[in-house]
Every structure is written in C-alpha cells, then in structure tokens.
Amino acid sequence: MNFSKRLQEWYFVNKRDLPWRSIQDPYFIWLSEVILQQTRVEQGMPYYYAFTKAFPTVQELAAAPQEQVLKLWQGLGYYSRARNLHTAAQQVGAMGGNFPKTYKELLSLKGVGDYTAAAIASFSYNEAVPVVDGNVYRVLSRIYGIATPINSTAGIKEFKALAVQLLDISNPGTHNQAIMEFGALHCKPANPFCETCPFNDQCVAHAQNRTTELPVKLKSKPVTHLYHHYLVVRTPLDNTLLVKRPQQGIWAGLYEFPYIEASKTLECQELQEQLKSQEWLSGVRFRESVTLQHTAVHKLSHRTIHATFWEINTLDEVNDSVHIKDAFEKPVHVLMDRYMKSQWNAYL
Ligand code: SF4
C-alpha cells in the first residue's frame, strides 16, 4: 500500500474533530494556521473563537485598530505575527476581500510563508502543494531515516522534494491534514507509538532504534541575557504609568511599565541610585523606598529576559499615568500580563 493511502486510512480513524477541519473558507483556515503556529490546538482554540467572533470577515479584521488585534493575540507571543496578520488582512481587503487563490499568490501576503501558503492552498482550494511543518519533518525523517538537519538549506530542499513525491495529488488537502495530524498524535516528538504504527514495517528510525535522534536540528545561536527592572508606579489615585514600545523589535507596539536595563539583577540600593537619572520621576515624591514585588524569567528564541518588578509608591500624581483598571485594557506582553493578573487581580 502506498504511503498516502496508509496515512489517510490512519487519519480517517484517528483524526480530531476541529472547528477549522470542516470548512474551506481561506480566511478561517488562515486564522487557524497562524494561531496554531504559536500554540497547541487546545490552547489555540479559544483564540480562534475570539478572532472569528470579533472579526467574522477579513474586512472586519482589516478595519480593526491594531491595538484590538494585539489585545486578542495577547498570550500567544511573537507579536510580529499578529501585526503581519493585520497587515495581510488589509492587503486582502484592498483586493475586495477576495483571498488569493493559488499557493504562489498567497505568498504575496505579509507573513505568509511556504507552510501557510501551502496549507491554505491545499485545504481551501485543493491545490497539489505539500505542507512541510515540524510534524512533517519528524515523520519523514524517521520513516525514511533522513539525518540532514531540518533547519539547513539542504534539509529544507530534501524534505520538500520528498513531500512533493509522496503527496496524493488527487486529494492534497486530506493528505496534508493527515500527515500533520499523524505527527501531532502518533509519531510524537517523545515516545511515539511505534508498536501500533501503520508504518512500523518500513520505518528506518524504528528498525534502527533512532527515534530519539531524528529529526536532526542544527543548534541555534547562543542566548543573550537581558535584565529588565520594571518600575511599577502606584500613585495616590491608583494610577500607574505605562509606555508603548517602539513599532520595531521585540514586543513591538505593546505596553509595559518603564524599565531600567542593567547588566545584572540590581539590589534595592543600586536601583534607588539609578532612579535619580529617570527624568520622568524628577520632582515626584516617594511615599517609601521602592519594594521588590515580583521576579520572572522569560525565554525568547535567542534571548532570556530576567525581569524584576519594583513598586514605587508616590505621594504625587505622575504625568501621563492611567488608572490601573484602564491598564488592563491595553495590549501588554506576557511578563506584564502575569504581573498585572497576579498583583492587581482586585481591579479585574
Ligand atoms: S514507527 Fe514510530 S517512529 Fe516510525 S513513523 Fe511510526 S511512530 Fe513514527
């Protein structure tokens, strides 16, 4: 039996019933794919429902303020994806709300790369293009015993060529869904179910006991450590100060407390010293010395942020401050979100 037939037989018995499986609308499929690149199905589902409820059409997403889109995206990370989603919706809006209909044309949308274009083209339009995501790399590298690194140029080419060869061109949408689902549920990263696998008579990794070795990935760049000392202002009227990050770089366009960046975690005394150079605090009287409220470590792909949150109670109001209740309406990054929910839940 050929590869795709075995795969699809497994799929029809084992597939999950997911809301975006029964539809062909490219807008909804695109939304689900962008969300699922960020998180697992269970965590992604509420985001999918929130986006489709807030923006039932691509034009409604295009017309929304960026802050609303970022707020709905909050918690998923990689906010550039949310901004790209918004920009791409505007591109489609400019095309009269008609999604591009081919893999090639879909690539012209902001943030839509090879994987997403192939997913939309095959799921919505049944175009014969293979999807190659992390699940597909894992399944193919194991079954065919391919040790070429999946994040190398040679690997990307080799796996794509194999995926093209294996694709069921009469049913590319189902084939693609099936291989991704098989990787997610059966040929899992750790402890794949080899004993009950339809490919265990031909799988090289299984035969050679190499499932933990495959797929191979090149090591990424070394991690840089950043130390952010967030200054959580509390005024007598329960106001706080938020600043918007620049539109470029990490967490672009999101709000956060002002912070001091240092080369290490600072002691209270050292922080007090640094506060003297903060112009926006000049003339503001403090009720007591700053207090450490919360620490957190957040890992990004090449950076680790060591965050400390210091509360500064003031005797005076501070220019441009907002009420804590209103701070919850702003799109904020994950470190902020956790801090606010843990320290200010009385205001929620
Ligand atoms: S035999 Fe094991 S490693 Fe090979 S495809 Fe099946 S589940 Fe994956």
Side-chain angles (χ1 to χ4, degrees), residues 17-70:
D17 187 16
L18 302 175
W20 46 85
R21 285 257 162 86
S22 49
I23 49 165
Q24 290 200 305
D25 185 314
Y27 169 57
F28 294 123
I29 286 174
W30 171 57
L31 277 181
S32 70
E33 288 304 327
V34 177
I35 291 168
L36 290 181
Q37 278 165 38
Q38 290 305 119
T39 188
R40 297 194 335 219
V41 165
E42 305 80 62
Q43 280 86 33
M45 201 90 86
Y47 286 91
Y48 175 78
Y49 286 126
F51 267 89
T52 50
K53 187 167 176 234
F55 314 119
T57 64
V58 67
Q59 285 97 332
E60 280 158 287
L61 174 57
Q66 189 192 59
E67 283 193 11
Q68 191 189 356
V69 179
L70 294 177

Tab-separated table of all heavy atoms in Angstrom, residues 17-70:
chain	number	residue	atom	x	y	z
A	17	ASP	N	-11.784	16.121	15.779
A	17	ASP	CA	-12.818	16.931	15.156
A	17	ASP	C	-12.538	18.395	15.518
A	17	ASP	O	-12.854	18.838	16.601
A	17	ASP	CB	-14.176	16.473	15.720
A	17	ASP	CG	-15.316	17.138	14.996
A	17	ASP	OD1	-15.080	17.680	13.905
A	17	ASP	OD2	-16.441	17.136	15.546
A	18	LEU	N	-11.894	19.132	14.629
A	18	LEU	CA	-11.515	20.512	14.947
A	18	LEU	C	-12.349	21.486	14.120
A	18	LEU	O	-12.695	21.178	12.973
A	18	LEU	CB	-10.018	20.718	14.652
A	18	LEU	CG	-9.082	19.768	15.404
A	18	LEU	CD1	-7.639	19.953	14.965
A	18	LEU	CD2	-9.208	19.967	16.901
A	19	PRO	N	-12.656	22.664	14.711
A	19	PRO	CA	-13.610	23.567	14.040
A	19	PRO	C	-13.182	23.980	12.634
A	19	PRO	O	-14.023	24.245	11.795
A	19	PRO	CB	-13.671	24.774	14.979
A	19	PRO	CG	-12.565	24.618	15.949
A	19	PRO	CD	-12.219	23.164	16.012
A	20	TRP	N	-11.885	24.058	12.367
A	20	TRP	CA	-11.445	24.523	11.042
A	20	TRP	C	-11.278	23.375	10.044
A	20	TRP	O	-10.862	23.573	8.929
A	20	TRP	CB	-10.133	25.305	11.158
A	20	TRP	CG	-9.121	24.630	12.030
A	20	TRP	CD1	-8.237	23.663	11.640
A	20	TRP	CD2	-8.900	24.849	13.417
A	20	TRP	NE1	-7.492	23.270	12.719
A	20	TRP	CE2	-7.865	23.978	13.818
A	20	TRP	CE3	-9.479	25.696	14.375
A	20	TRP	CZ2	-7.388	23.927	15.128
A	20	TRP	CZ3	-9.000	25.635	15.683
A	20	TRP	CH2	-7.977	24.772	16.052
A	21	ARG	N	-11.605	22.132	10.496
A	21	ARG	CA	-11.456	20.988	9.595
A	21	ARG	C	-12.629	20.872	8.626
A	21	ARG	O	-12.492	20.329	7.538
A	21	ARG	CB	-11.392	19.686	10.416
A	21	ARG	CG	-10.079	19.468	11.119
A	21	ARG	CD	-9.239	18.438	10.365
A	21	ARG	NE	-7.842	18.479	10.726
A	21	ARG	CZ	-7.309	17.824	11.753
A	21	ARG	NH1	-8.058	17.074	12.510
A	21	ARG	NH2	-6.021	17.930	11.994
A	22	SER	N	-13.801	21.360	9.086
A	22	SER	CA	-14.999	21.137	8.279
A	22	SER	C	-15.272	22.301	7.325
A	22	SER	O	-16.285	22.340	6.667
A	22	SER	CB	-16.192	20.950	9.214
A	22	SER	OG	-16.182	21.997	10.161
A	23	ILE	N	-14.355	23.272	7.289
A	23	ILE	CA	-14.619	24.451	6.457
A	23	ILE	C	-13.560	24.585	5.366
A	23	ILE	O	-12.494	23.998	5.461
A	23	ILE	CB	-14.586	25.755	7.312
A	23	ILE	CG1	-13.313	25.771	8.176
A	23	ILE	CG2	-15.831	25.900	8.140
A	23	ILE	CD1	-13.002	27.094	8.748
A	24	GLN	N	-13.913	25.389	4.372
A	24	GLN	CA	-12.942	25.608	3.295
A	24	GLN	C	-12.626	27.076	3.113
A	24	GLN	O	-11.813	27.436	2.263
A	24	GLN	CB	-13.480	25.011	2.004
A	24	GLN	CG	-13.472	23.496	2.076
A	24	GLN	CD	-13.531	22.864	0.725
A	24	GLN	OE1	-14.446	23.176	-0.038
A	24	GLN	NE2	-12.597	21.995	0.414
A	25	ASP	N	-13.275	27.904	3.924
A	25	ASP	CA	-13.073	29.343	3.801
A	25	ASP	C	-11.610	29.703	4.081
A	25	ASP	O	-11.096	29.434	5.169
A	25	ASP	CB	-13.993	30.034	4.816
A	25	ASP	CG	-13.952	31.540	4.681
A	25	ASP	OD1	-12.831	32.079	4.566
A	25	ASP	OD2	-15.017	32.164	4.681
A	26	PRO	N	-10.928	30.302	3.100
A	26	PRO	CA	-9.489	30.554	3.289
A	26	PRO	C	-9.182	31.494	4.447
A	26	PRO	O	-8.146	31.376	5.086
A	26	PRO	CB	-9.062	31.179	1.953
A	26	PRO	CG	-10.314	31.655	1.314
A	26	PRO	CD	-11.408	30.770	1.798
A	27	TYR	N	-10.121	32.418	4.753
A	27	TYR	CA	-9.885	33.356	5.852
A	27	TYR	C	-9.808	32.612	7.190
A	27	TYR	O	-8.883	32.793	7.979
A	27	TYR	CB	-11.007	34.412	5.859
A	27	TYR	CG	-11.033	35.275	7.093
A	27	TYR	CD1	-9.917	36.024	7.478
A	27	TYR	CD2	-12.180	35.340	7.895
A	27	TYR	CE1	-9.938	36.813	8.626
A	27	TYR	CE2	-12.212	36.127	9.039
A	27	TYR	CZ	-11.090	36.861	9.403
A	27	TYR	OH	-11.103	37.625	10.533
A	28	PHE	N	-10.781	31.720	7.430
A	28	PHE	CA	-10.785	30.984	8.700
A	28	PHE	C	-9.614	30.007	8.767
A	28	PHE	O	-9.015	29.806	9.818
A	28	PHE	CB	-12.124	30.259	8.902
A	28	PHE	CG	-13.277	31.210	9.085
A	28	PHE	CD1	-14.383	31.182	8.248
A	28	PHE	CD2	-13.248	32.151	10.102
A	28	PHE	CE1	-15.433	32.064	8.416
A	28	PHE	CE2	-14.292	33.046	10.290
A	28	PHE	CZ	-15.387	33.009	9.428
A	29	ILE	N	-9.299	29.406	7.643
A	29	ILE	CA	-8.171	28.459	7.626
A	29	ILE	C	-6.868	29.203	7.908
A	29	ILE	O	-6.024	28.766	8.692
A	29	ILE	CB	-8.139	27.690	6.287
A	29	ILE	CG1	-9.276	26.674	6.317
A	29	ILE	CG2	-6.786	27.006	6.055
A	29	ILE	CD1	-9.505	25.921	5.061
A	30	TRP	N	-6.741	30.351	7.300
A	30	TRP	CA	-5.539	31.174	7.537
A	30	TRP	C	-5.426	31.542	9.021
A	30	TRP	O	-4.368	31.366	9.640
A	30	TRP	CB	-5.638	32.418	6.651
A	30	TRP	CG	-4.639	33.491	6.880
A	30	TRP	CD1	-3.280	33.374	6.826
A	30	TRP	CD2	-4.926	34.860	7.160
A	30	TRP	NE1	-2.696	34.594	7.059
A	30	TRP	CE2	-3.687	35.523	7.263
A	30	TRP	CE3	-6.087	35.607	7.320
A	30	TRP	CZ2	-3.587	36.886	7.526
A	30	TRP	CZ3	-5.994	36.954	7.571
A	30	TRP	CH2	-4.761	37.584	7.674
A	31	LEU	N	-6.541	32.024	9.613
A	31	LEU	CA	-6.526	32.366	11.041
A	31	LEU	C	-6.084	31.174	11.882
A	31	LEU	O	-5.215	31.295	12.748
A	31	LEU	CB	-7.926	32.782	11.504
A	31	LEU	CG	-8.381	34.212	11.267
A	31	LEU	CD1	-9.794	34.393	11.819
A	31	LEU	CD2	-7.451	35.214	11.957
A	32	SER	N	-6.682	30.026	11.629
A	32	SER	CA	-6.349	28.852	12.450
A	32	SER	C	-4.874	28.485	12.278
A	32	SER	O	-4.195	28.169	13.244
A	32	SER	CB	-7.252	27.667	12.097
A	32	SER	OG	-6.939	27.167	10.820
A	33	GLU	N	-4.366	28.572	11.075
A	33	GLU	CA	-2.966	28.198	10.849
A	33	GLU	C	-2.007	29.157	11.536
A	33	GLU	O	-1.004	28.744	12.111
A	33	GLU	CB	-2.655	28.136	9.344
A	33	GLU	CG	-3.286	26.952	8.642
A	33	GLU	CD	-2.908	25.619	9.280
A	33	GLU	OE1	-1.787	25.482	9.787
A	33	GLU	OE2	-3.764	24.718	9.305
A	34	VAL	N	-2.306	30.439	11.469
A	34	VAL	CA	-1.407	31.417	12.098
A	34	VAL	C	-1.420	31.211	13.617
A	34	VAL	O	-0.376	31.238	14.274
A	34	VAL	CB	-1.802	32.861	11.710
A	34	VAL	CG1	-0.922	33.867	12.430
A	34	VAL	CG2	-1.674	33.063	10.206
A	35	ILE	N	-2.586	30.959	14.172
A	35	ILE	CA	-2.671	30.732	15.624
A	35	ILE	C	-1.956	29.433	16.008
A	35	ILE	O	-1.196	29.384	16.979
A	35	ILE	CB	-4.150	30.717	16.079
A	35	ILE	CG1	-4.743	32.124	15.955
A	35	ILE	CG2	-4.294	30.193	17.503
A	35	ILE	CD1	-6.247	32.211	16.094
A	36	LEU	N	-2.149	28.394	15.198
A	36	LEU	CA	-1.550	27.099	15.544
A	36	LEU	C	-0.037	27.067	15.368
A	36	LEU	O	0.628	26.174	15.867
A	36	LEU	CB	-2.193	25.970	14.732
A	36	LEU	CG	-3.627	25.654	15.113
A	36	LEU	CD1	-4.155	24.512	14.262
A	36	LEU	CD2	-3.762	25.308	16.584
A	37	GLN	N	0.510	28.051	14.668
A	37	GLN	CA	1.972	28.116	14.603
A	37	GLN	C	2.529	28.597	15.940
A	37	GLN	O	3.708	28.470	16.218
A	37	GLN	CB	2.418	29.060	13.490
A	37	GLN	CG	2.393	28.368	12.135
A	37	GLN	CD	2.469	29.345	11.004
A	37	GLN	OE1	3.178	30.337	11.086
A	37	GLN	NE2	1.732	29.086	9.957
A	38	GLN	N	1.665	29.191	16.748
A	38	GLN	CA	2.099	29.749	18.024
A	38	GLN	C	1.871	28.818	19.202
A	38	GLN	O	2.504	28.963	20.228
A	38	GLN	CB	1.318	31.042	18.309
A	38	GLN	CG	1.679	32.169	17.438
A	38	GLN	CD	3.152	32.445	17.486
A	38	GLN	OE1	3.822	32.355	16.482
A	38	GLN	NE2	3.674	32.738	18.658
A	39	THR	N	0.898	27.921	19.053
A	39	THR	CA	0.499	27.168	20.240
A	39	THR	C	-0.145	25.853	19.840
A	39	THR	O	-0.410	25.615	18.672
A	39	THR	CB	-0.475	28.027	21.096
A	39	THR	OG1	-0.701	27.372	22.323
A	39	THR	CG2	-1.795	28.276	20.411
A	40	ARG	N	-0.408	25.028	20.856
A	40	ARG	CA	-1.050	23.746	20.574
A	40	ARG	C	-2.549	23.941	20.403
A	40	ARG	O	-3.103	24.966	20.797
A	40	ARG	CB	-0.765	22.778	21.714
A	40	ARG	CG	0.728	22.497	21.808
A	40	ARG	CD	1.018	21.325	22.673
A	40	ARG	NE	-0.051	21.102	23.635
A	40	ARG	CZ	0.178	20.723	24.877
A	40	ARG	NH1	1.394	20.577	25.294
A	40	ARG	NH2	-0.820	20.498	25.705
A	41	VAL	N	-3.177	22.909	19.821
A	41	VAL	CA	-4.601	23.005	19.482
A	41	VAL	C	-5.466	23.436	20.676
A	41	VAL	O	-6.271	24.360	20.568
A	41	VAL	CB	-5.089	21.662	18.904
A	41	VAL	CG1	-6.597	21.577	18.879
A	41	VAL	CG2	-4.544	21.473	17.501
A	42	GLU	N	-5.257	22.795	21.826
A	42	GLU	CA	-6.134	23.084	22.983
A	42	GLU	C	-6.010	24.553	23.405
A	42	GLU	O	-6.997	25.195	23.727
A	42	GLU	CB	-5.797	22.215	24.204
A	42	GLU	CG	-5.799	20.725	23.959
A	42	GLU	CD	-4.528	20.237	23.311
A	42	GLU	OE1	-3.465	20.382	23.917
A	42	GLU	OE2	-4.575	19.730	22.166
A	43	GLN	N	-4.778	25.063	23.409
A	43	GLN	CA	-4.588	26.463	23.809
A	43	GLN	C	-5.023	27.417	22.699
A	43	GLN	O	-5.423	28.549	22.974
A	43	GLN	CB	-3.120	26.751	24.140
A	43	GLN	CG	-2.688	26.303	25.523
A	43	GLN	CD	-2.251	24.848	25.515
A	43	GLN	OE1	-1.701	24.378	24.529
A	43	GLN	NE2	-2.508	24.126	26.585
A	44	GLY	N	-4.934	26.972	21.466
A	44	GLY	CA	-5.242	27.849	20.337
A	44	GLY	C	-6.732	28.032	20.087
A	44	GLY	O	-7.176	29.061	19.585
A	45	MET	N	-7.499	27.038	20.495
A	45	MET	CA	-8.943	27.058	20.204
A	45	MET	C	-9.642	28.335	20.709
A	45	MET	O	-10.356	28.978	19.937
A	45	MET	CB	-9.579	25.817	20.838
A	45	MET	CG	-10.892	25.431	20.250
A	45	MET	SD	-10.671	24.304	18.889
A	45	MET	CE	-10.610	22.746	19.738
A	46	PRO	N	-9.447	28.744	21.988
A	46	PRO	CA	-10.132	29.978	22.443
A	46	PRO	C	-9.720	31.197	21.627
A	46	PRO	O	-10.540	32.096	21.403
A	46	PRO	CB	-9.676	30.145	23.898
A	46	PRO	CG	-9.055	28.859	24.301
A	46	PRO	CD	-8.670	28.111	23.067
A	47	TYR	N	-8.483	31.242	21.171
A	47	TYR	CA	-8.033	32.378	20.354
A	47	TYR	C	-8.743	32.361	19.001
A	47	TYR	O	-9.146	33.392	18.487
A	47	TYR	CB	-6.510	32.327	20.131
A	47	TYR	CG	-5.727	32.715	21.357
A	47	TYR	CD1	-5.326	31.769	22.289
A	47	TYR	CD2	-5.402	34.046	21.597
A	47	TYR	CE1	-4.602	32.124	23.424
A	47	TYR	CE2	-4.689	34.419	22.721
A	47	TYR	CZ	-4.292	33.456	23.633
A	47	TYR	OH	-3.584	33.826	24.746
A	48	TYR	N	-8.882	31.170	18.440
A	48	TYR	CA	-9.565	31.046	17.151
A	48	TYR	C	-11.004	31.551	17.272
A	48	TYR	O	-11.475	32.345	16.463
A	48	TYR	CB	-9.531	29.585	16.688
A	48	TYR	CG	-10.314	29.329	15.436
A	48	TYR	CD1	-9.800	29.682	14.186
A	48	TYR	CD2	-11.580	28.747	15.487
A	48	TYR	CE1	-10.525	29.454	13.019
A	48	TYR	CE2	-12.310	28.509	14.330
A	48	TYR	CZ	-11.772	28.875	13.102
A	48	TYR	OH	-12.496	28.656	11.954
A	49	TYR	N	-11.678	31.118	18.339
A	49	TYR	CA	-13.062	31.557	18.525
A	49	TYR	C	-13.132	33.067	18.780
A	49	TYR	O	-14.019	33.750	18.288
A	49	TYR	CB	-13.734	30.795	19.669
A	49	TYR	CG	-14.087	29.373	19.295
A	49	TYR	CD1	-13.662	28.297	20.068
A	49	TYR	CD2	-14.837	29.092	18.158
A	49	TYR	CE1	-13.978	26.980	19.719
A	49	TYR	CE2	-15.157	27.793	17.791
A	49	TYR	CZ	-14.723	26.743	18.582
A	49	TYR	OH	-15.026	25.464	18.223
A	50	ALA	N	-12.177	33.586	19.563
A	50	ALA	CA	-12.199	35.026	19.868
A	50	ALA	C	-11.994	35.847	18.584
A	50	ALA	O	-12.693	36.847	18.356
A	50	ALA	CB	-11.106	35.354	20.877
A	51	PHE	N	-11.072	35.431	17.731
A	51	PHE	CA	-10.819	36.177	16.488
A	51	PHE	C	-12.005	36.082	15.532
A	51	PHE	O	-12.415	37.081	14.941
A	51	PHE	CB	-9.544	35.660	15.791
A	51	PHE	CG	-8.319	36.428	16.191
A	51	PHE	CD1	-7.572	36.052	17.296
A	51	PHE	CD2	-7.905	37.552	15.477
A	51	PHE	CE1	-6.444	36.766	17.677
A	51	PHE	CE2	-6.786	38.274	15.855
A	51	PHE	CZ	-6.050	37.880	16.964
A	52	THR	N	-12.566	34.877	15.386
A	52	THR	CA	-13.659	34.747	14.419
A	52	THR	C	-14.925	35.458	14.917
A	52	THR	O	-15.729	35.917	14.121
A	52	THR	CB	-13.968	33.265	14.106
A	52	THR	OG1	-14.110	32.564	15.339
A	52	THR	CG2	-12.867	32.628	13.295
A	53	LYS	N	-15.042	35.558	16.259
A	53	LYS	CA	-16.199	36.277	16.806
A	53	LYS	C	-16.017	37.791	16.614
A	53	LYS	O	-16.924	38.494	16.163
A	53	LYS	CB	-16.345	35.945	18.293
A	53	LYS	CG	-17.594	36.500	18.905
A	53	LYS	CD	-17.855	35.877	20.266
A	53	LYS	CE	-19.068	36.541	20.881
A	53	LYS	NZ	-18.817	37.078	22.188
A	54	ALA	N	-14.820	38.272	16.952
A	54	ALA	CA	-14.577	39.718	16.832
A	54	ALA	C	-14.530	40.168	15.374
A	54	ALA	O	-14.969	41.269	15.044
A	54	ALA	CB	-13.271	40.084	17.538
A	55	PHE	N	-13.990	39.304	14.516
A	55	PHE	CA	-13.815	39.671	13.104
A	55	PHE	C	-14.361	38.540	12.220
A	55	PHE	O	-13.596	37.711	11.723
A	55	PHE	CB	-12.328	39.880	12.775
A	55	PHE	CG	-11.596	40.709	13.791
A	55	PHE	CD1	-10.519	40.176	14.488
A	55	PHE	CD2	-11.964	42.024	14.041
A	55	PHE	CE1	-9.833	40.934	15.424
A	55	PHE	CE2	-11.281	42.793	14.976
A	55	PHE	CZ	-10.214	42.244	15.673
A	56	PRO	N	-15.680	38.508	12.011
A	56	PRO	CA	-16.244	37.410	11.210
A	56	PRO	C	-15.794	37.436	9.748
A	56	PRO	O	-15.894	36.421	9.062
A	56	PRO	CB	-17.749	37.631	11.312
A	56	PRO	CG	-17.956	38.607	12.419
A	56	PRO	CD	-16.707	39.397	12.552
A	57	THR	N	-15.310	38.588	9.280
A	57	THR	CA	-14.826	38.641	7.897
A	57	THR	C	-13.440	39.267	7.882
A	57	THR	O	-13.056	39.982	8.811
A	57	THR	CB	-15.734	39.521	7.002
A	57	THR	OG1	-15.655	40.872	7.511
A	57	THR	CG2	-17.168	39.056	6.992
A	58	VAL	N	-12.729	39.000	6.815
A	58	VAL	CA	-11.376	39.542	6.699
A	58	VAL	C	-11.402	41.073	6.635
A	58	VAL	O	-10.506	41.748	7.154
A	58	VAL	CB	-10.638	38.898	5.496
A	58	VAL	CG1	-11.241	39.293	4.170
A	58	VAL	CG2	-9.151	39.215	5.517
A	59	GLN	N	-12.480	41.629	6.070
A	59	GLN	CA	-12.575	43.097	6.030
A	59	GLN	C	-12.701	43.684	7.434
A	59	GLN	O	-12.173	44.751	7.711
A	59	GLN	CB	-13.778	43.565	5.199
A	59	GLN	CG	-13.573	43.439	3.704
A	59	GLN	CD	-14.190	42.173	3.162
A	59	GLN	OE1	-14.304	41.186	3.878
A	59	GLN	NE2	-14.590	42.184	1.905
A	60	GLU	N	-13.421	42.952	8.303
A	60	GLU	CA	-13.561	43.455	9.674
A	60	GLU	C	-12.225	43.415	10.413
A	60	GLU	O	-11.899	44.320	11.182
A	60	GLU	CB	-14.641	42.669	10.429
A	60	GLU	CG	-16.026	43.175	10.040
A	60	GLU	CD	-17.130	42.173	10.296
A	60	GLU	OE1	-17.224	41.180	9.549
A	60	GLU	OE2	-17.910	42.392	11.237
A	61	LEU	N	-11.437	42.394	10.141
A	61	LEU	CA	-10.094	42.336	10.739
A	61	LEU	C	-9.233	43.473	10.173
A	61	LEU	O	-8.520	44.160	10.910
A	61	LEU	CB	-9.440	40.972	10.441
A	61	LEU	CG	-7.988	40.786	10.856
A	61	LEU	CD1	-7.783	41.036	12.349
A	61	LEU	CD2	-7.502	39.369	10.523
A	62	ALA	N	-9.352	43.697	8.884
A	62	ALA	CA	-8.559	44.759	8.242
A	62	ALA	C	-8.885	46.132	8.828
A	62	ALA	O	-8.001	46.966	9.013
A	62	ALA	CB	-8.830	44.758	6.734
A	63	ALA	N	-10.158	46.346	9.152
A	63	ALA	CA	-10.592	47.669	9.616
A	63	ALA	C	-10.364	47.883	11.114
A	63	ALA	O	-10.510	48.994	11.614
A	63	ALA	CB	-12.084	47.843	9.302
A	64	ALA	N	-9.994	46.836	11.839
A	64	ALA	CA	-9.845	46.955	13.299
A	64	ALA	C	-8.603	47.760	13.655
A	64	ALA	O	-7.619	47.741	12.920
A	64	ALA	CB	-9.726	45.557	13.905
A	65	PRO	N	-8.642	48.476	14.811
A	65	PRO	CA	-7.412	49.132	15.257
A	65	PRO	C	-6.365	48.081	15.642
A	65	PRO	O	-6.722	47.020	16.147
A	65	PRO	CB	-7.853	49.920	16.494
A	65	PRO	CG	-9.310	49.726	16.648
A	65	PRO	CD	-9.771	48.656	15.714
A	66	GLN	N	-5.090	48.402	15.397
A	66	GLN	CA	-4.028	47.423	15.680
A	66	GLN	C	-4.059	46.965	17.146
A	66	GLN	O	-3.832	45.799	17.454
A	66	GLN	CB	-2.654	48.008	15.348
A	66	GLN	CG	-1.557	46.957	15.416
A	66	GLN	CD	-0.161	47.534	15.383
A	66	GLN	OE1	0.235	48.323	16.228
A	66	GLN	NE2	0.610	47.146	14.382
A	67	GLU	N	-4.380	47.924	18.043
A	67	GLU	CA	-4.373	47.566	19.465
A	67	GLU	C	-5.391	46.484	19.802
A	67	GLU	O	-5.165	45.656	20.671
A	67	GLU	CB	-4.612	48.800	20.341
A	67	GLU	CG	-3.366	49.626	20.428
A	67	GLU	CD	-3.404	50.697	21.501
A	67	GLU	OE1	-4.333	50.688	22.332
A	67	GLU	OE2	-2.506	51.538	21.474
A	68	GLN	N	-6.525	46.503	19.103
A	68	GLN	CA	-7.538	45.470	19.360
A	68	GLN	C	-7.011	44.089	18.930
A	68	GLN	O	-7.215	43.081	19.609
A	68	GLN	CB	-8.835	45.806	18.600
A	68	GLN	CG	-9.996	44.921	19.024
A	68	GLN	CD	-11.225	45.105	18.133
A	68	GLN	OE1	-11.254	45.952	17.236
A	68	GLN	NE2	-12.239	44.300	18.384
A	69	VAL	N	-6.312	44.079	17.798
A	69	VAL	CA	-5.766	42.813	17.296
A	69	VAL	C	-4.702	42.295	18.271
A	69	VAL	O	-4.683	41.110	18.634
A	69	VAL	CB	-5.164	43.007	15.883
A	69	VAL	CG1	-4.567	41.710	15.360
A	69	VAL	CG2	-6.223	43.538	14.924
A	70	LEU	N	-3.830	43.193	18.728
A	70	LEU	CA	-2.774	42.783	19.655
A	70	LEU	C	-3.367	42.298	20.980
A	70	LEU	O	-2.872	41.355	21.586
A	70	LEU	CB	-1.801	43.941	19.908
A	70	LEU	CG	-0.975	44.394	18.702
A	70	LEU	CD1	-0.117	45.598	19.069
A	70	LEU	CD2	-0.084	43.275	18.170
